[in-house]
Amino acid sequence: MDFTLSEEQQMLQDTVVRLVRDSYSFEQREQFYRSEPGFSWAFWQQLGELGLCSVPIAEAHGGFGGSGVDNLLIMTELGRNLCLEPFLQSQIHGAGLLQQLGNAQQCEALLPRVASGELQLAVALEESQSHYLLHDVQTRAVVVDGGWKLSGHKVVVVGGHSAGLILLSARTAGEPLDEQGISLFLLDPASVGVSRRAYPNIDGPHACDVVLDEVFIAADSLLGEPGRALPALRYQRGRAIAAQCAEAVGGMQEAFRLTLDYLKTRQQFGAPIGKFQVLQHRMADMRGELELASSMAILAACVADEVDSEERSRRLAAAKFVVVRAARFIAEQAIQLHGGIGMTWEYNLAHHAKRLVMLSHQLGDDDHHLQAYAELLKSA
Amino acid sequence: MDINYTPAELEFRDEVRAFVSVALPDDIAAKVRLGKHLSKDDHQRWQRILAKRGWYAANWPVEHGGTGWSVVQKHIFEEECAAFGAPRLISFGVNMVAPVIIKFGTQTQKDHYLPRILSGEDWWCQGYSEPGAGSDLASLKTRAVRDGEHYIVNGQKTWTTLGQHANMIFCLVRTDPDAQQQRGISFLLIDMASPGITVRPIITLDGDHEVNEVFFDNVRVPVANLVGEENQGWTCAKYLLTHERTGQAGIAQSKAALAQLKQVAARELRNGRPLLDDPLFRAQVAEVEIQLLAIEVSTLRILAAAQAGGVPGAESSILKIKGSEIRQAISHLLRKALGVHALPFVEEELDFDHAGELRHADYSAAPAGQYFNLRKLSIYGGSNEIQKNIIAKMILEL
């Protein structure tokens, strides 16, 4: 057991810290949010040029071959500054699925372009009825001459509006809730029959719904064996959860810091409000939650790339559960301790609070993961 | 960063496991598992077994008979011991007064007391709290007045855990009544056989005799029993409390309690199937297990950082709060798991040799009382509210 960072990891951390500090002030973020496509392509390019886009991708495919801990370091800093770019969706979740399911040809053709930042990926798994269940897939893919025809509807695909390719789950066999019969496809969003409706999410990043109306895609757009994608979907969601936990910890640390500063400066009743014990204890509670969440983000990062096992699944579900609960607590209390100012658009704390609460709506909420954990509970 | 045990750590775990599985007497393990009363002899037998193996004073420096174990090794050791049903070590001697003597004591004190702690010859209890000094410990009033080569001690200590077994007590006493609260306090080692000491039991709400009142009526204590300098006892007190708090997370005990909870919930029935398979109950068990995991990883992180940087800091207050809360949450669930069987209060059922006439499961006698007993966790060692004050002051600088 070891909780220290290697020299290389410290350098990586320094690089990201410097980058976001210099290029991602809160005012800049607001501009990025208002611009097309809702984030900064220039910043994305910087992530590519500094090699950060390549960190999660295997060396064999032009990447750096980073570990879960490397991903954690990047995501924590992106979370601290509320970065809007779909790094998690593209470089960790999307690239991870491509790497796990893609054949040599697909990987060679695409992953180096992802690693450089040139090609952005998005992942479309959720449907209107699915409520975080990866096997609840109603989008259909049927075999046609030379390929597949896709019909269906994917919702809230974060980064789907800007991605060059969308990885999309569709049912190639079986009934809506069957675990078998789910396949993963590479979809060029420019294909005939694809319509996308883009919008900002309440916590900042932009997303889109994807409607598929008899979309023809070539046979080589299938990733992996037909009908057998579910284990990979679950495994890679675990990696994405680990990254998301790290992002949340960065956000929680910043929300905590802002609130602590505020308690030391805001005067009421002739004293800084941080002198009042009821607020001190609230901050102590928040500090405790932050400690547990940080531990679980580290745990998640350490197990994210392990071979699939029940223990890995349990730990990742546990991490998401603890982080979601802590994030909501810290977000709500941070607003409460700030009072009215914490509810204004012009103050960055409010945006942290939104991000921290809404992360439970991606990749499964606390109920989902508690249930998952309970199902895997060891009896003794 | 690596969250997994190294091969060396796994080897160590196997070594501990192999030893404890054989060395721990079955009757003691059974008592601990079922929550039955442990005698003084039970505690001392286990201490002697560990001492013989060199594993009793795990936290001491090697030169005094300690193990030199890393934070992770200590964690593994405690976890394995608790998993097999070993009694928790009574910490007043080995893990509370000993570190103070090692840090602040004279050579004579070290030479005299440390071997006696190791051998189990001395059983220590703690004289901190007073009727008027609980969370506000520094307001303590027990007086020690210098008289030649002695102090004359007068006053009262309370909540003295297992004081009925002790032959030694370490006390915070006021040696300068005119100094500011924390300044005029000294740290004294007192022989419980001294004339003028009276021990009176306090029966707690679970019917148990665990704590006592200790009265001092003109008790003569040699000046040689002063640890550190006169009026500087608060330094010792704080040092001891930090050590106490760090151990108070009680992860190993919580893990053992959680295992017990699962076993009971697997045997208790509801709607014709194990309670553990009831979705609502199962989710609650899952939740405490998740929380415990988070606290365990946090404990290891904080202790690892402390080991790298010296003394554990105010972060140990976070562990004390979280550790006590989770232990209480588990005991709450265990009580709930028993349904109506948690109600009967037949004190003899807690005697190991008692042939119970109640046709209830053997595990059902103790948990309700334990639940009430464990309310102490968030009160003692600095209440959880005091811990939050410490966090606010020391970490948050509010």
Side-chain angles (χ1 to χ4, degrees):
Chain A
M1 224 176 251
D2 174 22
F3 293 103
T4 55
L5 295 179
S6 69
E7 227 169 274
E8 243 182 358
Q9 286 168 336
Q10 272 167 8
M11 277 164 55
L12 172 65
Q13 190 178 39
D14 291 345
T15 304
V16 195
V17 167
R18 233 175 299 125
L19 174 66
V20 292
R21 191 188 56 210
D22 296 345
S23 324
Y24 232 98
S25 69
F26 178 60
E27 292 70 27
Q28 283 166 312
R29 176 188 187 269
E30 183 66 11
Q31 283 174 19
F32 300 155
Y33 173 78
R34 301 271 175 208
S35 72
E36 199 63 38
F39 62 84
S40 165
W41 274 120
F43 183 70
W44 185 262
Q45 219 169 343
Q46 278 181 292
L47 289 171
E49 282 161 10
L50 287 168
L52 296 170
C53 280
S54 78
V55 167
I57 291 156
E59 283 177 277
H61 302 298
F64 173 78
S67 66
V69 175
D70 295 322
N71 293 345
L72 169 134
L73 297 173
I74 297 175
M75 290 307 303
T76 303
E77 298 313 318
L78 297 181
R80 194 186 310 280
N81 281 47
L82 283 169
C83 295
L84 296 160
E85 290 65 26
F87 189 91
L88 186 157
Q89 289 75 16
S90 176
Q91 308 309 111
I92 293 173
H93 202 179
L97 283 166
L98 185 50
Q99 220 162 272
Q100 186 173 353
L101 286 177
N103 59 35
Q105 213 175 353
Q106 289 164 325
C107 288
E108 273 162 37
L110 299 173
L111 281 170
R113 294 174 58 210
V114 177
S116 69
E118 176 201 338
L119 172 65
Q120 207 177 67
L121 304 175
V123 180
L125 304 177
E126 288 280 350
E127 301 185 355
S128 296
Q129 82 295 339
S130 60
H131 207 93
Y132 314 126
L133 294 179
L134 292 170
H135 61 278
D136 188 353
V137 178
Q138 294 188 5
T139 295
R140 288 263 168 195
V142 292
V143 183
V144 293
D145 193 21
W148 302 83
K149 199 160 262 186
L150 298 175
S151 299
H153 187 187
K154 294 288 179 183
V155 295
V156 200
V157 182
V158 175
H161 63 300
S162 57
L165 281 174
I166 296 176
L167 290 87
L168 180 139
S169 62
R171 186 163 287 290
T172 45
E175 297 302 310
L177 289 166
D178 286 352
E179 300 209 338
Q180 297 294 324
I182 297 164
S183 306
L184 192 68
F185 294 94
L186 281 167
L187 174 72
D188 177 354
S191 308
V192 178
V194 176
S195 53
R196 285 184 292 175
R197 157 92 171 87
Y199 43 78
N201 283 342
I202 190 166
D203 56 352
H206 283 56
C208 69
D209 291 353
V210 181
V211 178
L212 306 155
D213 183 14
E214 304 219 326
V215 178
F216 172 79
I217 53 170
D220 63 1
S221 304
L222 175 70
L223 290 169
E225 297 278 307
R228 297 177 182 277
L230 190 61
L233 299 185
R234 289 182 171 157
Y235 183 84
Q236 292 298 331
R237 178 155 79 176
R239 290 182 67 248
I241 282 170
Q244 195 192 32
C245 288
E247 179 185 1
V249 166
M252 278 187 260
Q253 286 173 348
E254 184 63 3
F256 183 84
R257 187 187 70 79
L258 290 166
T259 309
L260 187 56
D261 279 354
Y262 187 77
L263 255 61
K264 288 176 180 175
T265 49
R266 168 72 171 169
Q267 304 269 330
Q268 289 285 275
F269 304 102
I273 60 173
K275 290 289 167 205
F276 297 110
Q277 193 179 44
V278 68
L279 303 191
Q280 291 180 351
H281 283 198
R282 197 77 55 81
M283 280 307 281
D285 291 339
M286 290 161 70
R287 183 65 177 69
E289 292 303 306
L290 179 53
E291 195 68 39
L292 298 192
S294 306
S295 296
M296 293 307 273
I298 290 171
L299 178 73
C302 288
V303 303
D305 293 321
E306 277 181 3
V307 178
D308 202 6
S309 69
E310 281 197 1
E311 183 64 5
R312 173 182 179 271
S313 302
R314 261 193 299 273
R315 287 171 153 190
L316 289 166
K320 183 73 197 278
F321 177 83
V322 170
V323 168
V324 162
R325 289 281 174 99
R328 178 178 156 224
F329 180 73
I330 287 175
E332 290 177 352
Q333 297 310 323
I335 292 179
Q336 180 69 22
L337 295 189
H338 274 88
I341 191 72
M343 299 195 58
T344 58
W345 190 282
E346 68 176 29
Y347 185 34
N348 56 352
L349 175 85
H351 299 271
H352 274 294
K354 287 191 284 185
R355 187 87 190 99
L356 289 174
V357 170
M358 299 312 291
L359 69 90
S360 75
H361 295 256
Q362 288 169 53
L363 309 174
D365 62 13
D366 44 348
D367 292 345
H368 176 90
H369 288 288
L370 181 61
Q371 195 181 2
Y373 191 98
E375 281 167 13
L376 294 171
L377 192 72
K378 285 198 280 190
S379 55
Chain B
M1 268 195 212
D2 186 359
I3 203 73
N4 293 310
Y5 289 139
T6 61
E9 285 162 347
L10 287 173
E11 201 176 301
F12 175 75
R13 185 181 69 182
D14 292 342
E15 187 189 353
V16 174
R17 194 172 282 180
F19 174 76
V20 178
S21 65
V22 174
L24 177 66
D26 290 342
D27 62 317
I28 295 181
K31 286 181 188 179
V32 170
R33 284 222 182 87
L34 298 172
K36 307 276 184 183
H37 288 308
L38 287 167
S39 67
K40 181 178 183 180
D41 176 64
D42 292 331
H43 286 290
Q44 288 183 321
R45 263 194 294 159
W46 178 233
Q47 286 173 18
R48 278 197 297 271
I49 291 165
L50 287 179
K52 200 172 159 207
R53 184 67 180 78
W55 287 355
Y56 178 47
N59 294 316
W60 297 10
V62 179
E63 66 261 33
H64 293 296
T67 56
W69 286 341
S70 70
V71 161
V72 174
Q73 283 177 301
K74 286 179 202 167
H75 177 74
I76 289 171
F77 175 71
E78 284 175 19
E79 189 174 327
E80 291 300 322
C81 285
F84 280 102
R88 193 171 188 185
L89 295 182
I90 306 299
S91 55
F92 304 108
V94 67
N95 288 326
M96 292 171 79
V97 77
V100 170
I101 291 174
I102 289 169
K103 172 105 174 163
F104 301 102
T106 62
Q107 193 57 46
T108 315
Q109 287 169 339
K110 288 177 199 173
D111 293 344
H112 179 71
Y113 291 112
L114 297 180
R116 294 169 64 92
I117 291 172
L118 272 183
S119 69
E121 203 169 342
D122 285 342
W123 182 302
W124 285 86
C125 62
Q126 181 180 29
Y128 268 35
S129 294
E130 297 181 6
S135 288
D136 182 12
L137 182 60
S139 72
L140 58 94
K141 290 195 172 62
T142 296
R143 279 283 276 134
V145 180
R146 186 80 180 252
D147 177 30
E149 280 311 293
H150 285 83
Y151 288 102
I152 312 290
V153 179
N154 278 288
Q156 183 192 347
K157 294 292 176 181
T158 191
W159 311 125
T160 314
T161 301
L162 300 182
Q164 69 267 37
H165 298 331
N167 65 313
M168 291 295 297
I169 182 169
F170 56 91
C171 279
L172 293 179
V173 294
R174 189 161 297 287
T175 36
D176 182 356
D178 300 324
Q180 271 194 330
Q181 272 207 332
Q182 296 164 0
R183 292 259 172 88
I185 291 172
S186 299
F187 194 97
L188 274 188
L189 313 177
I190 305 179
D191 188 333
M192 293 286 279
S194 313
I197 292 185
T198 314
V199 179
R200 214 157 63 192
I202 299 173
I203 304 303
T204 43
L205 76 178
D206 52 338
D208 201 11
H209 175 201
E210 186 178 38
V211 288
N212 302 272
E213 295 175 291
V214 181
F215 297 88
F216 298 85
D217 180 16
N218 287 318
V219 177
R220 294 184 73 82
V221 181
V223 170
N225 287 16
L226 175 73
V227 180
E229 287 173 42
E230 190 177 271
N231 296 328
Q232 300 296 317
W234 193 250
T235 315
C236 301
K238 274 198 309 190
Y239 182 75
L240 185 150
L241 281 173
T242 316
H243 274 262
E244 181 185 10
R245 226 174 274 138
T246 309
Q248 273 172 353
I251 304 294
Q253 280 67 35
S254 285
K255 278 193 155 181
L258 179 62
Q260 162 85 346
L261 168 64
K262 284 181 176 179
Q263 280 166 19
V264 169
R267 283 174 62 181
E268 292 292 312
L269 298 178
R270 178 172 159 78
N271 206 17
R273 57 181 183 173
L275 182 62
L276 193 57
D277 293 340
D278 176 83
L280 189 55
F281 195 84
R282 193 177 180 86
Q284 295 177 72
V285 176
E287 189 167 342
V288 292
E289 185 169 297
I290 290 171
Q291 287 290 341
L292 181 54
L293 174 63
I295 299 166
E296 182 184 10
V297 179
S298 298
T299 303
L300 288 164
R301 273 176 65 218
I302 288 174
L303 293 182
Q307 181 165 271
V311 192
E315 278 78 11
S316 60
S317 292
I318 296 173
L319 300 181
K320 198 265 170 173
I321 295 171
K322 292 291 180 190
S324 57
E325 286 175 350
I326 194 69
R327 183 81 180 80
Q328 291 175 336
I330 293 167
S331 78
H332 162 71
L333 284 181
L334 179 58
R335 174 176 53 69
K336 280 215 299 188
L338 293 172
V340 294
H341 295 104
L343 285 162
F345 181 58
V346 183
E347 292 187 72
E348 303 80 63
E349 294 280 332
L350 294 178
D351 295 332
F352 189 57
D353 303 329
H354 176 74
E357 69 266 25
L358 291 187
R359 291 175 164 216
H360 297 173
D362 56 1
Y363 54 71
S364 66
Q370 279 176 341
Y371 161 81
F372 287 107
N373 181 281
L374 290 178
R375 303 316 301 168
K376 71 188 176 189
L377 297 179
S378 48
I379 298 171
Y380 70 26
S383 71
N384 285 14
E385 288 71 24
I386 291 292
Q387 305 302 336
K388 289 180 189 181
N389 288 351
I390 293 171
I391 294 166
K393 194 173 160 204
M394 308 301 289
I395 303 180
L396 308 179
E397 297 176 342
L398 284 169

